[in-house]
């Protein structure tokens, strides 16, 4: 009994550690990708708040400087930095900057610049006023608004603390109780690290709880895509608006070829992993352009796109096909191909009150059936098999037509 209790306790501790270091784990998991997206978006929002706070402080310092009641740095550099990043936030808000990597670089460079400029102004403050108020301000901003992993927390707090201590011990002609100020600085750094780690830990717990609640509703637990229930609920909300505007809708139905053979050869656990990898691949390529991505059946995935031409939808399908082929997942013993492939059917129609999304999916399923009967690892639209070279040839032909029209003009 005692051994089992100790094992349970150890399991609880390991689960907590897994939650805390979740940012570094499960890199291929769709849930992890979504968590990263939330982190970036929340940090971008906090960047705006911090910019407004620092801009206000800079304006107040400029006013005090004009009144000759402030003799340290007036914060012009900080003012320009905050104005720049407010502008960048506006570009992100207006979707002029959409890449998540670019957004991450923006908020990381923001915090780096704020810390560097803040420490520069701290040096002047120590020389003029014998105070480290700017260090307190930096710690307040970091603990209150920055959400990041353990390593970035240690980097920012450690960098600020070490530079502050070096300033206190190397700046000449200061009349401060150095031991007291260094002790206070270290204590504040320690408390700040604890607060930031706690915030990060609870942030992850909150997001995972949201994922769990969502999964119980309309999201497939295995792939993290919408399930049929979630799909039906979303479509019920969206189809009316699409019908009113006669919006063009395209459905791409994706089916994993010879998936039963794969399960029979490698087992259902390996089959689940294969389905997760392919779902992640589809999500990574199609999520930016699609309205909905749903696990429609066992190994069937449906992608619904709007405001996209047929050519653009075919490009999405080709990109999915190419990326899945590059995964090089070994197929089952009785499979016709050496690696796992997918077949796709593409169909389009105008939404109106007399039809439904299920009519469109039925059309896409007919095209998928055509792909299956014509060798698999194929994409079919309007009963015509689409190949990469055909799409490229069509695009070249269009370019030549445009050139000839320009010459005539």
């Amino acid at each position: 009994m005692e051994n089992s209790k100790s094992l349970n306790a150890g399991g609880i501790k390991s689960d907590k550690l897994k939650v805390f270091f979740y940012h570094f784990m499960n890199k291929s998991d769709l849930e992890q990708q979504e968590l990263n997206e939330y982190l970036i978006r929340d940090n971008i929002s906090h960047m705006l708040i911090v910019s407004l706070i620092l801009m206000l402080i800079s304006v107040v310092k400029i006013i005090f400087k004009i009144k000759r009641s402030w003799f340290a740095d007036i914060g012009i550099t900080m003012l320009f930095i905050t104005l720049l990043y407010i502008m960048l936030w506006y570009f992100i808000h207006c979707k002029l900057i959409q890449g998540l990597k670019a957004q991450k670089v923006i908020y990381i460079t923001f915090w780096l610049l704020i810390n560097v400029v803040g420490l520069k102004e701290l040096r002047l403050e120590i020389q003029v006023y014998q105070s480290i108020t700017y260090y307190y301000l930096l710690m307040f901003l970091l603990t209150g608004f920055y959400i990041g992993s353990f390593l970035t927390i240690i980097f920012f707090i450690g960098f600020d603390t070490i530079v502050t201590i070096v300033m206190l011990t190397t700046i000449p002609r200061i009349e401060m109780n150095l031991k007291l100020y260094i002790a206070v600085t270290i204590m504040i750094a320690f408390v700040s690290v604890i607060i930031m780690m706690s915030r990060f830990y609870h942030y992850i717990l909150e997001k995972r709880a949201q994922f769990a609640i969502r999964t119980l509703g309309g999201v497939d637990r295995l792939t993290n895509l919408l399930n049929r229930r979630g799909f039906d609920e979303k479509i019920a909300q969206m189809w009316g608006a699409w019908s009113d505007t006669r919006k063009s809708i395209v459905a791409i139905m994706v089916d994993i070829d010879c998936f039963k053979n794969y399960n029979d050869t490698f087992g259902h656990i390996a089959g689940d992993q294969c389905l997760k990898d392919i779902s992640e691949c589809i999500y990574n390529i199609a999520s930016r352009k699609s309205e909905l991505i749903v696990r429609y059946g066992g190994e069937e995935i449906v992608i619904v796109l709007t405001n996209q031409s047929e050519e653009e939808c075919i490009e999405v399908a080709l990109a999915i096909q190419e990326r899945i082929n590059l995964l090089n997942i070994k197929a089952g013993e009785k499979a016709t191909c050496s690696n796992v492939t997918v077949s796709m059917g593409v169909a389009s129609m105008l939404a109106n009150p007399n039809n439904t999304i299920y009519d469109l999916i039925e059309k896409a399923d007919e095209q998928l059936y055509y792909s299956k009967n014509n060798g698999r690892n194929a994409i079919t639209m309007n009963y015509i098999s689409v190949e990469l070279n055909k799409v490229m040839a069509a695009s070249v032909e269009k370019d030549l037509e445009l050139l000839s029209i320009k010459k005539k003009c």
Side-chain angles (χ1 to χ4, degrees):
M1 288 291 289
E2 289 179 3
N3 289 335
S4 63
K5 287 181 180 178
S6 63
L7 284 171
N8 289 335
I12 292 169
K13 288 179 181 178
S14 65
D15 287 342
K16 288 185 176 180
L17 285 173
K18 284 181 180 180
V19 169
F20 184 75
F21 291 107
Y22 186 74
H23 190 62
F24 306 104
M25 298 169 66
N26 300 325
K27 291 294 183 182
S28 62
D29 198 340
L30 286 173
E31 187 174 306
Q32 172 61 23
Q33 183 177 347
E34 194 168 356
L35 176 61
N36 286 333
E37 291 179 7
Y38 275 114
L39 271 171
I40 291 168
R41 288 170 186 156
D42 290 343
N43 272 304
I44 290 293
S45 298
H46 292 175
M47 182 184 79
L48 174 66
I49 298 170
V50 173
S51 295
L52 293 172
I53 292 171
L54 291 174
M55 186 172 67
L56 179 62
I57 292 172
S58 298
V59 171
V60 170
K61 286 170 65 179
I62 291 170
I63 294 170
F64 283 170
K65 187 73 173 183
I66 293 170
K67 292 184 176 181
R68 297 183 179 179
S69 57
W70 181 261
F71 302 101
D73 188 80
I74 60 174
I76 292 292
T77 306
M78 189 74 79
L79 180 62
F80 277 114
I81 289 172
T82 53
L83 287 172
L84 170 65
Y85 279 91
I86 287 172
M87 184 173 66
L88 289 172
W89 175 88
Y90 178 76
F91 290 157
I92 294 170
H93 181 70
C94 294
K95 297 184 178 179
L96 297 175
I97 303 175
Q98 295 188 14
L100 290 175
K101 288 184 179 178
Q103 292 179 24
K104 186 174 182 179
V105 169
I106 286 170
Y107 84 76
I108 290 292
T109 55
F110 169 78
W111 282 107
L112 286 171
L113 286 172
I114 291 302
N115 279 270
V116 170
V117 175
L119 291 171
K120 178 187 172 184
E121 297 192 4
L122 172 63
R123 183 180 181 84
L124 291 171
E125 187 192 17
I126 293 173
Q127 289 176 326
V128 178
Y129 294 103
Q130 313 289 302
S131 169
I132 57 171
T133 304
Y134 261 102
Y135 177 76
Y136 304 145
L137 176 64
L138 288 173
M139 293 301 103
F140 165 73
L141 294 175
L142 282 167
T143 55
F145 297 100
Y146 179 72
I147 308 169
S149 63
F150 177 73
L151 291 178
T152 56
I153 290 169
I154 294 297
F155 171 77
F156 282 121
I157 299 296
F159 178 75
D160 291 346
T161 303
I162 291 169
V163 173
T164 302
I165 292 172
V166 170
M167 288 179 183
L168 289 172
T169 54
T170 57
I171 294 177
R173 297 179 183 177
I174 59 172
E175 299 175 359
M176 303 171 69
N177 187 337
L178 291 180
K179 290 183 179 180
L180 176 61
Y181 272 88
I182 290 171
V184 169
T185 301
I186 293 171
M187 182 185 70
I188 290 174
F190 178 75
V191 173
S192 298
V193 169
I194 297 300
I195 292 172
M196 292 178 75
M197 287 169 62
S198 177
R199 284 184 64 238
F200 183 57
Y201 172 78
H202 286 96
Y203 180 87
I204 293 170
L205 282 182
E206 179 186 351
K207 294 304 177 188
R208 291 191 72 184
Q210 291 176 8
F211 297 154
I213 292 169
R214 185 190 62 188
T215 301
L216 292 173
V219 177
D220 177 61
R221 293 188 179 188
L222 178 64
T223 62
N224 274 347
L225 302 177
L226 282 174
N227 58 23
R228 285 291 294 273
R229 176 181 174 181
F231 178 68
D232 292 341
E233 291 174 355
K234 292 280 186 183
I235 285 297
Q237 298 168 7
M238 303 165 88
W239 191 257
W242 291 352
S243 299
D244 293 340
T245 57
R246 298 297 192 272
K247 185 169 283 190
S248 175
I249 315 294
V250 176
I252 303 174
M253 178 165 274
V254 186
D255 184 82
I256 302 174
D257 295 325
C258 305
F259 192 62
K260 184 178 183 302
N261 289 336
Y262 187 91
N263 279 329
D264 292 342
T265 304
F266 301 107
H268 288 281
I269 294 175
D272 287 347
Q273 186 59 50
C274 173
L275 184 56
K276 285 175 67 176
D277 292 341
I278 289 176
S279 299
E280 181 180 1
C281 195
I282 293 170
Y283 179 85
N284 289 339
I285 293 169
S287 59
R288 296 294 175 84
K289 294 186 176 181
S290 64
E291 295 283 349
L292 300 167
I293 304 176
V294 54
R295 184 183 178 188
Y296 200 74
E299 64 271 14
E300 289 181 339
I301 294 169
V302 172
I303 306 162
V304 179
L305 305 99
T306 63
N307 298 325
Q308 303 284 329
S309 66
E310 290 184 352
E311 290 78 9
E312 289 173 322
C313 297
I314 289 170
E315 286 177 6
V316 171
L318 285 165
I320 290 169
Q321 183 187 51
E322 184 180 4
R323 187 74 63 85
I324 290 173
N325 288 339
L326 289 174
L327 291 177
N328 290 323
I329 302 173
K330 298 302 178 185
E333 293 176 353
K334 298 179 182 179
T336 55
C337 299
S338 58
N339 293 332
V340 171
T341 59
V342 295
S343 294
M344 285 178 262
V346 184
S348 64
M349 73 178 189
L350 292 176
N352 64 66
N354 298 321
N355 58 27
T356 68
I357 190 67
Y358 305 103
D359 297 326
L360 177 61
I361 290 174
E362 186 176 348
K363 290 173 65 178
D365 190 43
E366 289 176 5
Q367 303 304 309
L368 174 65
Y369 185 77
Y370 189 90
S371 292
K372 289 286 187 182
N373 286 340
N374 285 273
R376 298 186 175 89
N377 192 24
I379 302 166
T380 302
M381 184 172 189
N382 299 325
Y383 298 98
I384 299 171
S385 181
V386 178
E387 296 175 3
L388 185 60
N389 55 1
K390 289 182 181 179
V391 175
M392 290 177 67
S395 64
V396 170
E397 188 178 344
K398 284 186 178 179
D399 291 340
L400 290 172
E401 287 177 4
L402 290 171
L403 283 171
S404 62
I405 290 169
K406 286 180 180 179
K407 286 179 180 179
K408 288 178 182 178
C409 294

